[in-house]
Amino acid sequence: MTAALSSTSTQRTVDLGPAVELVSKEEGHRQPLAPEFVSAEDFSPLEVAYDFGRVRREDIESGPRNIWRYKKLLPVPSNVEEIPNTEPGCTRLVRADRLAKALGLKRVWVKDDTGNPTHSFKDRVVAVALAAAREFGFDTLACPSTGNLANAVAAAAARAGWQSVVLIPSSLERAKILTTAVYDGNLIAVDGNYDDVNRLATQLAAENETWAFVNVNVRPYYSEGSKTLAFEVAEQLGWRLPEQIVVPIASGSQLTKVDKGFRELGSLGLVEETPYKVFGAQATGCSPVSTAFRNGHDVVQPVKPNTIARSLAIGNPADGPYVLDTVNRTGGAIEDVSDEEVVEGIRLLARTEGIFTETAGGVTVATTKKLIETGKLDPEAETVLLITGDGLKTLDAVEGRIGPKATVPPSADAVRAALQS
Amino acid sequence: MTAALSSTSTQRTVDLGPAVELVSKEEGHRQPLAPEFVSAEDFSPLEVAYDFGRVRREDIESGPRNIWRYKKLLPVPSNVEEIPNTEPGCTRLVRADRLAKALGLKRVWVKDDTGNPTHSFKDRVVAVALAAAREFGFDTLACPSTGNLANAVAAAAARAGWQSVVLIPSSLERAKILTTAVYDGNLIAVDGNYDDVNRLATQLAAENETWAFVNVNVRPYYSEGSKTLAFEVAEQLGWRLPEQIVVPIASGSQLTKVDKGFRELGSLGLVEETPYKVFGAQATGCSPVSTAFRNGHDVVQPVKPNTIARSLAIGNPADGPYVLDTVNRTGGAIEDVSDEEVVEGIRLLARTEGIFTETAGGVTVATTKKLIETGKLDPEAETVLLITGDGLKTLDAVEGRIGPKATVPPSADAVRAALQS
């Protein structure tokens, strides 16, 4: 697929910085950098391989206050910070003592990715996808999505002056349509469910040589963007790795890339190679990876999602087996939580740390609680929680459960009485 | 008011860093630092006065990546970064070439304050208010609000482990109630309009000695937080001042404090004292300051607001006369724009730069356009736009005006046909 384009792209000089080739995840088949995502040899996902050379902390610290400070560790052009794109990253790592106390943990950090341009971690992956896609000669950024990804793609394309094509199910909530439509790209509502939209995207990616579907044909580059979460956590901790990290699982890509990021930092000598455990979080209503982990399987049985955590509702997660590998290798675990617990997780984080996360963040917080209760997470070890999206986008999850403490007439006595009741 | 508390506070040692006293804005009467906001001598607003000593760029650059890097220029304790609080600030300054081209400007920067913890500049002022309030012995953070301020106060109190009392009109939209209620403070709905709620807040601030109403009794400290917008713009430009800056006007406090911030940087030798012009932006439906400017008045006639830019809808802006002073002194101007233009401003910024702002940001963008068209803003001079809030909070402003380009059946041909139509 995209054969014409990739043959063109091998003729021109593609500058993707330290990236040198693509490697298949199963059997390690190597092939030139191109907008392809599945190995023709073993049909496994393709991943970017690098020749990093020497990378020093000073190179990073003197870079811009966004993910491009890590450009020597990403598949992006060496002048990437000069090219119009969004500038996500360098979000807060918050020392969360009140959350720690509530959970019975010794030391907790919250990586608050709601500070990104469109308020989710998707800005990271989309920015890297856009930078790589430009090198391959694409001129349109595209995706199928039901939420965060749609926002991120439409916004990044707008900023770069690119066309965008965003495919959504026509039944999507009005608010999610507005937050994508405002960027004035080509937002197309498709009469069908998310599976229909996804299939359509794969077909269009194969047929349209100038469309970069961020999570299809340029997925190997796109997914590398999640490494920047690991890079930032390590740098913000003072160039060291945490002992435990809890990561939500949708396709599973983010979890494996956070691990990849930590390993790259270690192998480059940017941090000491101290042991860390990676934990995965799912909603019970879409918990194929958690179920496989619990049953000791190394393959993941697809499920039909039914959870309020829609941004994690991928029933057949592409990177599920690799998540199991990572979690088992590092000595972590995976758990899943009910929708009720998800809402409690959202409320706990808001109440203790003033951070309002979307349902995916509720999954991460609630799963952390469960992992402690089941003895899988060490309460004495330093723990990082990845909070990857914003509560403003999933207001329906808390609707009907929270509200004013009281409604009173406009008198000081009435306010005081309400507070004492 | 708060007499008992302020007499206590003069006995204990209050550490508010470089802040030394309060000064009345009209006649310059001086009084000790206390939680008071109006001079008993001349009834004008009280402002914080400082003894800065020596402040070097290195002191700031080696500080945390939030507003506390400027602690030597704020009324906050010298160990402020160690005290639980939100950590707002260090938001993006985006080089906005596509917006510049659309507006016919040579060089534009957008200060994107949607990246703050609760996605508006209010996190800055509330964080400073909380830090000062703690020194004065308060234990409850309070405010009357209809939106951004409510979010910021409830979140900051949660993070600090304080009580909060947030008063809102009971008719407030459900989404704005949810985004405050989630932090689990004391959210009180008041049967009345915003004026009723405001009056109630002033009464409660006078009667409750342990309640810090951020924009009432600790307002002199609170409002200093807006200076950090100026500090960041200057630092992010490489320690220099822009030639022109466009600031939205609600109470007018932000505009005057941005100017104060620039002047402080200049007088401390942190930047060269190059000339700059401050421009003010209002919605026509609430444009008392713009009207006074146009008529050459130095007082501001109150109005009854009627605009979709609700976060700017203050009909009797407390700092209106000082805004006129600032704008006239720097050679700037003030303009106002219709609600229709506000929506166009929101859409223009989203389309060109991928930044989705609330109605206040739409006012800023649209006013900039008008200031260029009327020859008041120099298109050749470098211009900074303050974008102070997030579009996710004012979705109703774009509702009904934007949507999908097309709704199609799930086929590739249908998508292609829709794009060509």
Side-chain angles (χ1 to χ4, degrees):
Chain A
M1 55 194 63
T2 65
L5 188 78
S6 59
S7 70
T8 309
S9 64
T10 52
Q11 283 155 28
R12 49 182 288 201
T13 309
V14 176
D15 171 12
L16 290 180
V20 289
E21 55 194 352
L22 294 175
V23 182
S24 73
K25 287 196 82 158
E26 284 302 330
E27 296 173 8
H29 297 285
R30 298 178 169 270
Q31 63 179 78
L33 294 169
E36 296 174 14
F37 65 106
V38 176
S39 165
E41 306 278 342
D42 63 16
F43 306 105
S44 76
L46 292 167
E47 193 167 49
V48 176
Y50 298 91
D51 179 4
F52 287 124
R54 189 172 171 219
V55 183
R56 298 165 311 164
R57 289 180 187 173
E58 305 88 270
D59 299 331
I60 293 165
E61 287 166 349
S62 63
R65 295 296 313 177
N66 56 52
I67 61 169
W68 303 138
R69 69 201 280 104
Y70 306 109
K71 66 181 180 182
K72 290 188 164 186
L73 304 168
L74 294 171
V76 296
S78 32
N79 66 337
V80 66
E81 72 274 21
E82 297 161 20
I83 303 169
N85 200 325
T86 53
E87 293 89 17
C90 289
T91 58
R92 303 187 297 163
L93 183 71
V94 178
R95 171 79 180 254
D97 289 344
R98 280 169 46 79
L99 177 64
K101 194 173 171 195
L103 290 173
L105 285 170
K106 192 167 172 189
R107 200 193 305 188
V108 175
W109 300 89
V110 169
K111 181 63 175 167
D112 177 13
D113 239 18
T114 69
N116 277 318
T118 69
H119 308 319
S120 88
F121 89 100
K122 292 290 186 187
D123 290 318
R124 299 175 182 272
V125 285
V126 168
V128 174
L130 173 59
R134 180 189 300 270
E135 281 297 305
F136 289 122
F138 291 100
D139 64 10
T140 299
L141 207 61
C143 73
S145 173
T146 60
N148 285 327
L149 184 59
N151 296 169
V153 163
R159 170 110 173 103
W162 279 35
Q163 292 288 313
S164 66
V165 178
V166 173
L167 306 175
I168 55 170
S170 56
S171 60
L172 202 60
E173 301 94 310
R174 183 93 192 128
K176 291 187 178 169
I177 292 175
L178 292 175
T179 56
T180 300
V182 71
Y183 301 108
D184 208 26
N186 296 299
L187 176 63
I188 305 289
V190 177
D191 283 328
N193 60 25
Y194 183 62
D195 284 341
D196 296 327
V197 174
N198 239 334
R199 266 192 300 274
L200 186 57
T202 307
Q203 186 189 346
L204 284 162
E207 294 176 5
N208 293 274
E209 296 178 357
T210 61
W211 291 11
F213 271 86
V214 294
N215 51 349
V216 185
N217 49 347
V218 293
R219 186 173 181 86
Y221 312 94
Y222 164 89
S223 58
E224 290 288 292
S226 284
K227 293 192 309 188
T228 61
L229 279 162
F231 299 155
E232 289 181 21
V233 165
E235 183 181 357
Q236 289 170 319
L237 287 176
W239 292 111
R240 62 180 179 81
L241 303 181
E243 294 174 277
Q244 305 181 126
I245 187 164
V246 187
V247 187
I249 301 169
S251 73
S253 169
Q254 182 179 76
L255 186 146
T256 65
K257 295 297 180 172
V258 165
D259 170 61
K260 190 182 184 202
F262 283 160
R263 283 185 288 130
E264 286 175 355
L265 293 180
S267 66
L268 284 163
L270 290 165
V271 298
E272 201 184 325
E273 290 179 292
T274 52
Y276 60 86
K277 295 180 179 183
V278 180
F279 295 84
Q282 293 207 298
T284 303
C286 182
S287 51
V289 192
S290 175
T291 302
F293 178 80
R294 190 177 303 118
N295 296 332
H297 296 163
D298 56 5
V299 292
V300 172
Q301 207 67 31
V303 300
K304 198 171 155 57
N306 178 22
T307 169
I308 58 169
R310 271 175 291 214
S311 63
L312 302 182
I314 298 184
N316 188 13
D319 287 299
Y322 308 112
V323 167
L324 294 168
D325 288 349
T326 299
V327 169
N328 286 321
R329 174 170 46 75
T330 63
I334 306 175
E335 263 297 356
D336 55 86
V337 289
S338 70
D339 283 1
E340 196 63 41
E341 291 171 298
V342 171
V343 173
E344 282 310 305
I346 292 173
R347 297 184 64 182
L348 177 62
L349 183 63
R351 184 168 66 238
T352 55
E353 301 297 341
I355 296 170
F356 182 23
T357 182
E358 63 162 29
T359 44
V363 169
T364 302
V365 173
T367 297
T368 303
K369 188 162 182 279
K370 193 162 182 179
L371 286 164
I372 298 163
E373 288 163 0
T374 55
K376 291 168 187 161
L377 197 126
D378 178 0
E380 295 298 310
E382 181 176 53
T383 306
V384 171
L385 272 58
L386 293 192
I387 298 299
T388 54
D390 202 292
L392 280 171
K393 296 194 194 177
T394 59
L395 284 179
D396 46 334
V398 292
E399 177 113 50
R401 296 166 188 259
I402 57 176
K405 188 182 172 77
T407 300
V408 302
S411 95
D413 287 342
V415 171
R416 278 190 290 263
L419 292 179
Q420 277 150 21
S421 66
Chain B
M1 56 193 61
T2 65
L5 187 79
S6 59
S7 70
T8 309
S9 64
T10 52
Q11 283 155 27
R12 47 182 290 197
T13 310
V14 177
D15 171 12
L16 289 180
V20 289
E21 54 193 353
L22 294 175
V23 182
S24 74
K25 288 196 81 158
E26 283 304 328
E27 296 173 7
H29 297 284
R30 297 178 171 268
Q31 63 178 79
L33 294 170
E36 296 174 14
F37 65 106
V38 176
S39 165
E41 306 277 344
D42 64 15
F43 307 104
S44 76
L46 292 167
E47 193 167 50
V48 176
Y50 298 90
D51 179 4
F52 288 123
R54 189 173 170 219
V55 182
R56 299 165 310 165
R57 290 181 187 173
E58 306 87 272
D59 299 330
I60 293 165
E61 288 167 348
S62 64
R65 295 297 311 177
N66 55 54
I67 61 169
W68 303 137
R69 70 202 278 104
Y70 307 108
K71 66 180 179 182
K72 290 186 166 189
L73 303 169
L74 294 171
V76 296
S78 30
N79 67 336
V80 65
E81 72 274 22
E82 297 160 20
I83 303 169
N85 200 327
T86 53
E87 293 88 18
C90 290
T91 58
R92 304 188 297 164
L93 183 72
V94 178
R95 171 77 180 254
D97 289 344
R98 282 170 43 80
L99 177 65
K101 194 173 173 196
L103 290 173
L105 285 171
K106 192 167 172 190
R107 199 192 307 187
V108 175
W109 301 88
V110 169
K111 181 62 176 168
D112 177 14
D113 240 17
T114 69
N116 277 318
T118 69
H119 308 320
S120 88
F121 89 100
K122 291 289 185 187
D123 290 317
R124 300 175 181 272
V125 285
V126 168
V128 175
L130 172 60
R134 180 189 301 269
E135 281 297 305
F136 288 123
F138 292 101
D139 63 10
T140 299
L141 208 61
C143 72
S145 172
T146 60
N148 286 326
L149 184 58
N151 297 168
V153 164
R159 170 111 172 101
W162 279 34
Q163 292 288 311
S164 66
V165 177
V166 173
L167 306 175
I168 55 170
S170 57
S171 59
L172 201 62
E173 302 93 311
R174 185 95 193 126
K176 290 187 179 170
I177 293 176
L178 293 175
T179 56
T180 300
V182 72
Y183 301 107
D184 208 27
N186 295 298
L187 176 64
I188 306 288
V190 176
D191 282 328
N193 60 26
Y194 183 63
D195 284 341
D196 296 325
V197 175
N198 240 333
R199 265 192 300 274
L200 186 57
T202 307
Q203 185 187 347
L204 283 163
E207 294 176 7
N208 292 274
E209 295 178 357
T210 60
W211 291 11
F213 271 87
V214 295
N215 52 348
V216 185
N217 49 347
V218 294
R219 186 175 180 85
Y221 312 95
Y222 163 89
S223 58
E224 290 289 292
S226 285
K227 292 191 311 188
T228 61
L229 279 162
F231 299 156
E232 289 181 19
V233 165
E235 184 180 356
Q236 289 170 318
L237 287 176
W239 292 111
R240 62 180 180 79
L241 303 181
E243 294 173 276
Q244 304 181 127
I245 187 163
V246 187
V247 187
I249 301 170
S251 73
S253 169
Q254 182 178 78
L255 186 146
T256 64
K257 295 296 180 173
V258 164
D259 170 60
K260 191 182 183 202
F262 283 160
R263 283 185 288 129
E264 286 174 354
L265 293 179
S267 65
L268 285 163
L270 291 165
V271 299
E272 201 184 324
E273 290 179 291
T274 52
Y276 59 86
K277 295 181 180 183
V278 181
F279 295 85
Q282 292 207 297
T284 303
C286 182
S287 52
V289 193
S290 175
T291 302
F293 178 81
R294 190 178 303 118
N295 296 333
H297 295 163
D298 55 6
V299 291
V300 172
Q301 207 67 34
V303 300
K304 198 172 155 56
N306 178 23
T307 168
I308 58 169
R310 271 174 290 214
S311 63
L312 303 181
I314 297 184
N316 187 13
D319 288 297
Y322 309 112
V323 166
L324 294 168
D325 288 350
T326 301
V327 169
N328 286 321
R329 175 171 44 76
T330 63
I334 306 175
E335 265 295 357
D336 55 85
V337 289
S338 70
D339 284 1
E340 195 64 41
E341 291 171 299
V342 172
V343 174
E344 281 310 305
I346 292 173
R347 297 184 65 182
L348 177 62
L349 183 62
R351 184 168 67 238
T352 54
E353 301 297 342
I355 297 170
F356 182 24
T357 183
E358 62 162 29
T359 43
V363 169
T364 303
V365 173
T367 297
T368 304
K369 186 162 183 281
K370 193 161 180 180
L371 286 164
I372 299 164
E373 288 163 2
T374 54
K376 292 169 186 159
L377 198 127
D378 178 0
E380 295 298 310
E382 182 177 51
T383 306
V384 171
L385 272 58
L386 293 192
I387 298 300
T388 54
D390 202 292
L392 279 172
K393 297 195 195 177
T394 60
L395 284 179
D396 46 333
V398 292
E399 176 111 52
R401 295 166 188 261
I402 57 175
K405 189 181 170 81
T407 301
V408 303
S411 94
D413 285 343
V415 171
R416 278 190 290 262
L419 292 179
Q420 277 150 21
S421 68

